[in-house]
Amino acid sequence: PQPLGIRREALVEPDVAPVAHRHAVAEPLVSQLVCEHPGVVGATAAVGTPVRMNDRLRTGPNARLQVTFNDNSLLTLGENANVVVDRFAYNPKKSSADVVLNAAQGAFRFAGGKIERMQHKNVVVNTPHAALAVRGTHFWAGPVKGKYGVLLLKGKVRVSKR
């Protein structure tokens, strides 16, 4: 599978729309951005850093990170977020996709790309409070006034207790 990468073109600021690219894209705004590969702890991510399955993505205070998967699905992390890309498998020839993300902390937004058109798709985001089954969806999830919320922007999200 082709690794995702981090590029300079996708600076994501709170008031600026993200720019989509074929590979993962990210840049820290003010604070730290970390991409930990299994077996490598605390590596600071820079433009061009590859993002692979089982990598942990972390942002610091006032930082934002945008990841564009190979199918153009977007994952945007807010400040102080912590997400592991457990699985990303996209096979347009077999019309299948399998994505599992574990969001341990912070806010994030997910917007499905070409995987939305696959006949056999499984997109799941596990959070500390619920498991989110994603179906052709754009949604935001994260802490809101001391609780955890999900804002549906388009499509369907099935929320189940963990």
Side-chain angles (χ1 to χ4, degrees):
Q2 188 178 28
L4 306 171
I6 297 175
R7 295 184 185 223
R8 174 169 290 287
E9 294 93 350
L11 176 64
V12 178
E13 297 180 15
D15 298 322
V16 177
V19 178
H21 294 282
R22 181 159 169 70
H23 300 287
V25 290
E27 183 169 307
L29 290 178
V30 176
S31 190
Q32 72 183 133
L33 170 67
V34 176
C35 176
E36 294 178 353
H37 303 299
V40 179
V41 179
T44 300
V47 174
T49 301
V51 179
R52 296 183 177 93
M53 286 193 300
N54 299 314
D55 281 356
R56 179 176 303 279
L57 306 170
R58 291 189 295 128
T59 57
N62 299 314
R64 302 289 182 273
L65 166 66
Q66 177 180 300
V67 175
T68 303
F69 293 94
N70 294 336
D71 75 314
N72 291 323
S73 290
L74 295 174
L75 173 65
T76 305
L77 280 63
E79 67 178 340
N80 298 316
N82 183 338
V83 174
V84 174
V85 179
D86 277 342
R87 186 168 41 247
F88 179 80
Y90 170 65
N91 188 337
K93 291 180 182 178
K94 292 185 177 180
S95 193
S96 67
D98 190 24
V99 179
V100 179
L101 305 172
N102 274 300
Q105 176 181 328
F108 67 92
R109 179 176 185 256
F110 182 86
K114 293 176 186 172
I115 59 172
E116 293 181 7
R117 297 188 296 251
M118 299 295 103
Q119 290 178 349
H120 311 285
K121 60 182 169 265
N122 179 48
V123 180
V124 175
V125 180
N126 295 306
T127 74
H129 306 282
L132 310 175
V134 180
R135 300 290 178 263
T137 304
H138 296 201
F139 70 95
W140 174 93
V144 179
K145 295 183 181 179
K147 299 189 180 201
Y148 201 85
V150 176
L151 172 64
L152 181 62
L153 303 169
K154 175 185 165 191
K156 296 179 183 179
V157 172
R158 188 181 70 216
V159 180
S160 60
K161 290 185 179 181
R162 292 196 43 112

